[in-house]
Amino acid sequence: MANTLHKSERLDKKKVIEKMFAGGSHSFSIFPLRVVYLPVEELEATASILVSVSKRRFKHAVKRNRVKRQIREAYRANKHELLSVLAERQCRLAIAFIYLSDRLEDSSLIETRLKTALAHIAEKVTSSEP
């Protein structure tokens, strides 16, 4: 499996995004990230992600884009364990990563927190009944 992030792995369906934030989804925080995920059947990819950085926290688009790039890169490099669990359970997930901090963090910190978050999601998916 290639270490890439395809277009199909990006969450862009408005209905799914609205369903995620309307309620019924699972969420937890591992500072500086808040993770919201929802099992969804109408996605092509096993897991589709959405990355959000608030304009209120970073006024300049350059900083927002940097944080989004750090999160996407960390996900791309560490998604394989989660994807194998999802494939095994034949489950599809929509995942949103929301950046909570108002300061720029080091890429290594974001990567370690994202690894923890992905492991937490994988654990929850395996513990839930099919």
Side-chain angles (χ1 to χ4, degrees), residues 2 5 13 23 38-39 55 57 74 86 88 92 95 101 130:
L5 188 65
K13 295 190 182 326
L38 178 71
K55 195 174 189 177
R57 302 201 190 277
L86 292 175
E88 182 184 300
R92 296 177 189 276
I95 308 169
S101 179

Side-chain angles (χ1 to χ4, degrees), residues 20-61:
M20 277 180 84
F21 293 104
S25 59
H26 308 279
S27 69
F28 60 93
S29 292
I30 298 177
F31 194 80
L33 296 172
R34 176 161 189 72
V35 183
V36 180
Y37 64 99
L38 178 71
V40 181
E41 293 307 315
E42 60 254 27
L43 296 173
E44 308 116 43
T46 328
S48 292
I49 66 163
L50 170 99
V51 179
S52 174
V53 181
S54 175
K55 195 174 189 177
R56 187 181 294 166
R57 302 201 190 277
F58 295 109
K59 300 290 185 216
H60 300 285

Side-chain angles (χ1 to χ4, degrees), residues 4-121:
T4 56
L5 188 65
H6 293 284
K7 173 117 175 75
S8 63
E9 293 179 88
R10 305 272 176 100
L11 185 56
D12 60 353
K13 295 190 182 326
K14 198 169 184 182
K15 278 186 179 178
V16 176
I17 295 168
E18 285 172 358
K19 195 188 294 183
M20 277 180 84
F21 293 104
S25 59
H26 308 279
S27 69
F28 60 93
S29 292
I30 298 177
F31 194 80
L33 296 172
R34 176 161 189 72
V35 183
V36 180
Y37 64 99
L38 178 71
V40 181
E41 293 307 315
E42 60 254 27
L43 296 173
E44 308 116 43
T46 328
S48 292
I49 66 163
L50 170 99
V51 179
S52 174
V53 181
S54 175
K55 195 174 189 177
R56 187 181 294 166
R57 302 201 190 277
F58 295 109
K59 300 290 185 216
H60 300 285
V62 173
K63 289 183 179 180
R64 289 195 303 275
N65 292 340
R66 175 179 183 247
V67 173
K68 287 192 272 188
R69 192 177 317 112
Q70 286 174 314
I71 295 170
R72 280 195 309 265
E73 179 62 21
Y75 174 78
R76 184 195 63 75
N78 299 293
K79 66 182 178 177
H80 300 296
E81 184 184 325
L82 175 66
L83 293 182
S84 64
V85 169
L86 292 175
E88 182 184 300
R89 305 280 290 186
Q90 295 181 341
C91 175
R92 296 177 189 276
L93 278 186
I95 308 169
F97 296 106
I98 303 162
Y99 193 75
L100 299 174
S101 179
D102 53 0
R103 355 183 340 248
L104 293 173
E105 299 290 350
D106 194 46
S107 293
S108 60
L109 174 78
I110 290 175
E111 186 165 0
T112 55
R113 300 292 162 84
L114 196 117
K115 273 185 198 175
T116 309
L118 293 177
H120 184 78
I121 293 171

